[in-house]
Amino acid sequence: MWKGKERATTPDSDSEFLDLNPIITYRHLQSHALGVKDPLRVIALCDSDAFYAGCEMVRLGVDPEQPLVVSQWDSIIAVNYPSRKFGITRMDKVKDAQKRCQNLMVVHVATYKEGDAEPGHWENPNTKTHKVSLDLYRRESSKVHNMFKESLPAGVELEKASIDECFIDFTRPVREELLRRYPHLAQAPPTGTDTPLPPPSTPIIWNANTNLVPINPKDDVTDNPGGPSASTRGDSELEEPPITWHDVALSIAADMMERARDQVRTKLGYSTSAGIGRNKFLAKLTASYRKPNSQSVLRNAAIPHYLRPLPFQKIRFLGGKLGNAVAKEYEVSTVGDLLAVSLDEFQKTFGEDSIWIWEIIRGIDRSEVKEKPPNTKSMAASKNLATPVTMPCEGPHWVRVMAAELTLRLNDARELSPNLWPRTISLSTRQGWSVTQRKQAPFPFVRNVTIDVVAAAGDKLWKELVGPLNSTKPLSTKITHVCLSLHGVEAGEVNQQGIESFLSKTPNSPSKRKRKVDSDNEVDETMPTSSHGESELKLDIDYFVCDRCKKQITLPKELMTASALDEDIRRDALGSLRAEHQDFHFAQDLSRMPSDDERPRRPNSESTIHPKKKRKHKGGGAEGEGIARFFTKR
DNA sequence: GTGGATGAG
DNA sequence: CGCTCATCCAC
């Protein structure tokens, strides 16, 4: 029901939009810590165009004009711009899309199946056996992010907002550039630092690849991109307001943004779109003014016209239930409509916190651009089961598929932060459409996270949640969804250098150092020698046989090659493999044990460690990633 | 610790 | 009821 009978402001004025032309003084220009109150604040949002599709195009080296979509089973999850011309959209079915575009290239997202060490791109993966992996996109995303870090000027704040977006706070480098370009601004006049700056005298030369969101409705060519621009048309009856220093600041940021986007485009092959404005919200909104491969600037003077017609449910966090509730409550759909609702009214209906709605529709956003830790705190691998699980014994299969993905991702993340450790692992299942159950447990304290370890932990949870791993007794309700996840993935507080310090701490070359090998890690010399005949080197310590499972564990090929050859290195690697294998048994013992049972003894005191405790390194030392991973990492 | 809600893309 | 993921909150 519409309650806004008393309008506080006239709908036709811009008076709802506060502070569009703030006074900027010499003091503002000199201050370094104004934060969100800085009248010269400049924020950008840059996102990759149809990112998943872009990744596949780069991977496959396809022509930029080739219509391409990324599929997931029968659905389309990403549509590149050439294929959008055919009216293909995100949730279309592959079959329908192909009907619309003969020439359409359809790439299925990478998938895993049980036993695969890595996800791969298969033409026709089976949803009954495979699980999709978004890994490629995460990796490419971090490449893009790193490229931005490299190519943006010093002093920016960079916040990764999602897999394909980042916010950039240009305020600092822009102010520095402003003072370089206009040195007279550095010196306050006799009237003091609170004197307003003289207006800019020279016209702005806007970056040639930058769009300006028009200030006057008559100049709007949004629906007619090929049409004449406001600046060339010259028939506007409305005057443009004078240039402000904030406009100049925006133009400097536009130059900086363009340079960085160009690097990403030329070095990595990803086209991006950016929006630049006075805060995060406006930057984000402006990024979609023109896409793809473009950037746009929203001057303060353009805010009212840009915001008023906007359907407010397009605003972040208003796209869901809250937005719906607001729309229903006031029977409105655009920002302009909503402006008539007073702050009091909002707060009466939607609570104190709804002040942010009141502010956001007026273009006010105090949120800061803040660098975030590169790693997410949780990692999940989940799948809807096209063929539901009907017996407990089917669990280990899916657990293993999920475990493979999580193991890969965790170890990946550890390349950057070697001390990352998950606090808990959890398994959740869903039966029917709403019932979900979840069990969690401490993540096992093993030195190397392998698929076996994660799967063993997952199996244990499955057993608690569903039933014995070997049971063929039909479940009362089929399981339609499985999700294995890690939580509280954070770096331990010590030993930040990880493997690097370990390697550099060794004063002598590894081959010359004298070390004692644990008797437990001694090689069983009575066993037959390896069959790796291709190496000409003596291979007397390249494997061991596990007492418990009688399995033969052999050094990987990387360590069999001449380049990696050093007896000590192989001995250490074998020791690590043995410890890792024992860790696995330990994890398995745990998983077989009734929950309230006594903990099993660890196979040896060195083979398992507490992630947060410092651990003395022993032995080892080598170069190259392929080898480093066989050594104790913490 | 568990279950649920919300939201993005 | 796409599917996959992340975060937050009540209890």
Side-chain angles (χ1 to χ4, degrees), chain A residues 252 327 466 590 628:
Chain A
I252 293 171
V466 184
L590 269 180

Side-chain angles (χ1 to χ4, degrees), chain A residues 229-508:
Chain A
S229 75
S231 52
T232 58
R233 216 164 50 161
D235 60 354
S236 175
E237 291 156 32
L238 298 165
E239 289 283 311
E240 297 242 333
I243 294 167
T244 69
W245 284 111
H246 188 252
D247 294 339
V248 177
L250 289 170
S251 80
I252 293 171
D255 291 339
M256 294 170 169
M257 186 75 252
E258 224 290 314
R259 229 170 291 140
R261 289 178 52 243
D262 187 60
Q263 289 292 300
V264 169
R265 183 168 49 241
T266 55
K267 299 261 175 67
L268 297 176
Y270 297 113
S271 108
T272 58
S273 297
I276 305 168
R278 72 189 314 192
N279 60 42
K280 288 173 83 172
F281 162 64
L282 294 173
K284 163 96 182 162
L285 210 57
T286 304
S288 52
Y289 179 67
R290 291 223 190 132
K291 285 186 170 188
N293 193 21
S294 188
Q295 64 177 46
S296 309
V297 164
L298 183 70
R299 291 163 291 176
N300 290 352
I303 292 172
H305 167 56
Y306 192 52
L307 285 189
R308 274 221 183 80
L310 181 79
F312 65 83
Q313 284 173 301
K314 284 191 177 169
I315 295 172
R316 209 157 78 117
F317 300 128
L318 290 177
K321 301 212 167 173
L322 177 57
N324 266 323
V326 171
K328 236 182 145 187
E329 174 73 17
Y330 303 113
E331 294 173 345
V332 290
S333 64
T334 68
V335 167
D337 300 336
L338 258 198
L339 285 172
V341 180
S342 72
L343 178 57
D344 265 3
E345 267 181 284
F346 267 130
Q347 293 187 314
K348 258 181 234 153
T349 315
F350 296 101
E352 292 286 304
D353 289 347
S354 54
I355 185 165
W356 82 262
I357 302 181
W358 188 89
E359 289 185 336
I360 215 80
I361 61 178
R362 286 162 177 79
I364 300 165
D365 176 11
R366 302 182 206 289
S367 60
E368 294 185 67
V369 176
K370 199 143 174 52
E371 198 140 356
K372 288 187 190 150
N375 306 296
T376 52
K377 289 191 270 295
S378 72
M379 291 181 188
S382 70
K383 179 166 172 64
N384 284 347
L385 302 174
T387 313
V389 160
T390 59
M391 307 177 285
C393 68
E394 297 170 76
H397 163 70
W398 287 117
V399 165
R400 208 169 171 74
V401 174
M402 309 290 161
E405 169 151 23
L406 289 183
T407 304
L408 188 69
R409 284 180 59 188
L410 179 61
N411 286 327
D412 236 37
R414 282 185 166 189
E415 283 177 17
L416 272 158
S417 321
N419 294 317
L420 282 186
W421 199 268
R423 303 290 297 282
T424 54
I425 178 171
S426 81
L427 181 76
S428 80
T429 58
R430 191 166 68 213
Q431 304 162 42
W433 280 119
S434 119
V435 189
T436 74
Q437 287 172 300
R438 184 161 88 200
K439 279 285 180 194
Q440 72 183 52
F443 193 83
F445 296 154
V446 294
R447 107 179 41 208
N448 286 320
V449 179
T450 61
I451 295 177
D452 290 327
V453 166
V454 178
D459 281 347
K460 175 176 169 135
L461 294 171
W462 178 273
K463 188 173 58 181
E464 292 174 11
L465 212 53
V466 184
L469 303 181
N470 56 6
S471 165
T472 56
K473 183 165 160 255
L475 295 163
S476 56
T477 322
K478 295 176 189 175
I479 288 169
T480 55
H481 176 90
V482 179
C483 176
L484 189 66
S485 48
L486 308 178
H487 309 270
V489 186
E490 279 170 315
E493 68 275 17
V494 293
N495 197 14
Q496 196 53 53
Q497 320 89 316
I499 188 75
E500 288 77 13
S501 79
F502 165 60
L503 290 175
S504 62
K505 232 190 290 187
T506 61
N508 306 313

